[in-house]
Every structure is written in C-alpha cells, then in structure tokens.
Amino acid sequence: MVARASARCRMAPVNYELYMRAALSEAAGAAATGEIADGAVAVVDEAMVAHARPGVAATGDPTAHAVMGAIRGAARRLGRPTLAGVTVFSMVEPCAMCVGALLQSDADGLVYALRDPVGGACGSSLQLAETPGRPRRLRVVSGILRDDAADLRPDLDVDRADARPAIAR
C-alpha cells in the first residue's frame, strides 16, 4: 500500500482500507452490469453517507461518473449543498469534472486507489486538486488498495504489460 498525502495538511485518521473496499465493491458491481469498473463512497465522521458507481452506459448521461454520484448522494443525505467534512473514496483517480465538483462542493478530501494517466486530474494527467493560488484545495491520498483496484482495471495498471488507457468512466 502506497499513500501520498498532500504537503499542505493531513486528513484525520480514517480506516482508508475499509472505505476503499466499499468503493471497490461498487466498482465490481458496475463491471458486472456492463459499466466501466469504478466506484466511490462518501464518508463523514467515519460514517459512509453515500455510495455510487458509474451509470454512463445505462443512462446515456456522460456525467454519470461514480464520484459525481457520491457527491450527489452525500449532498442529498446530508441535506446541504456543501460537503465540508466529507472525504470521497474513489477506485480511480477522478477526472477534471469530478475534481471540479469536489472543489465546488467544499469536500475536504479525496482518497483513490489507482492513477488514471489519461484523464486523472489529481496529478496524473493534470493537477486541479492542489493547485497553488486557488481558493479551494483537496487533501489527497492515493494508492490505497492499488493492487486490488488494478485487478479490476488492468487497463490503468501502468506496471502491467496489457495496460492501455481507457477513456470512459
């Protein structure tokens, strides 16, 4: 397990593996229904308040990413449009749209398992989560249960010979 926390600050102690396993479970469920394998959960005060998987193929909605679903679910469950105190766990490094939504919602943190070298917006392809001079930043931890995630998404495992970038989430 490799973890990287932002240099700016560290998140409160959390059972990263417990919540990442929940995100991986969502990803496995998504793959079983023909969606791309990804999943996300939103956590506040050690309680899981939302879980989601992609719905792009099922709904035809190109914004139906797992992280977006977790954001929407958390806002509904908490009854507020801001997600201060919320950490989102995602199997795959989120794209620019999802990181932008996390920033706009004032989410505290993001934990992900697997880098996305093509679309990741937390440093792999571009850096939106911790951009200097921006009014909002996300605390980011990466690499939690990376090998388990790579089993579900070998296309993103840059250490494997059969890796190739996927575009859709």
Side-chain angles (χ1 to χ4, degrees):
M1 168 175 67
V2 176
R4 178 188 64 81
S6 83
R8 190 173 72 93
C9 54
R10 292 204 185 277
M11 287 184 274
V14 168
N15 188 338
Y16 294 150
E17 290 188 7
L18 174 71
Y19 300 116
M20 187 57 71
R21 286 200 192 287
L24 294 176
S25 177
E26 289 294 325
T33 63
E35 294 284 351
I36 194 153
D38 195 8
V41 299
V43 175
V44 63
D45 294 331
E46 296 286 332
M48 195 177 338
V49 295
H51 56 90
R53 57 183 65 159
V56 175
T59 65
D61 177 358
T63 69
H65 294 193
V67 169
M68 294 298 287
I71 291 169
R72 290 177 184 128
R76 275 193 304 271
R77 176 89 183 266
L78 297 172
R80 55 187 164 94
T82 61
L83 299 182
V86 173
T87 298
V88 172
F89 289 74
S90 176
M91 188 183 96
V92 176
E93 177 184 8
C95 69
M97 173 186 68
C98 293
V99 172
L102 287 165
L103 290 166
Q104 287 300 115
S105 70
D106 282 328
D108 282 359
L110 169 70
V111 179
Y112 67 89
L114 200 56
R115 293 178 58 240
D116 182 347
V118 172
C122 296
S124 293
S125 178
L126 77 135
Q127 176 56 270
L128 295 179
E130 299 172 332
T131 304
R134 306 287 302 186
R136 296 181 177 121
R137 292 184 186 182
L138 283 171
R139 292 173 288 182
V140 176
V141 175
S142 63
I144 305 299
L145 298 179
R146 182 200 167 287
D147 292 340
D148 293 346
D151 288 342
L152 289 167
R153 289 291 301 273
D155 58 304
L156 293 179
D157 187 1
V158 296
D159 295 331
R160 292 186 184 186
D162 60 344
R164 63 187 181 291
I167 301 301
R169 291 209 203 338

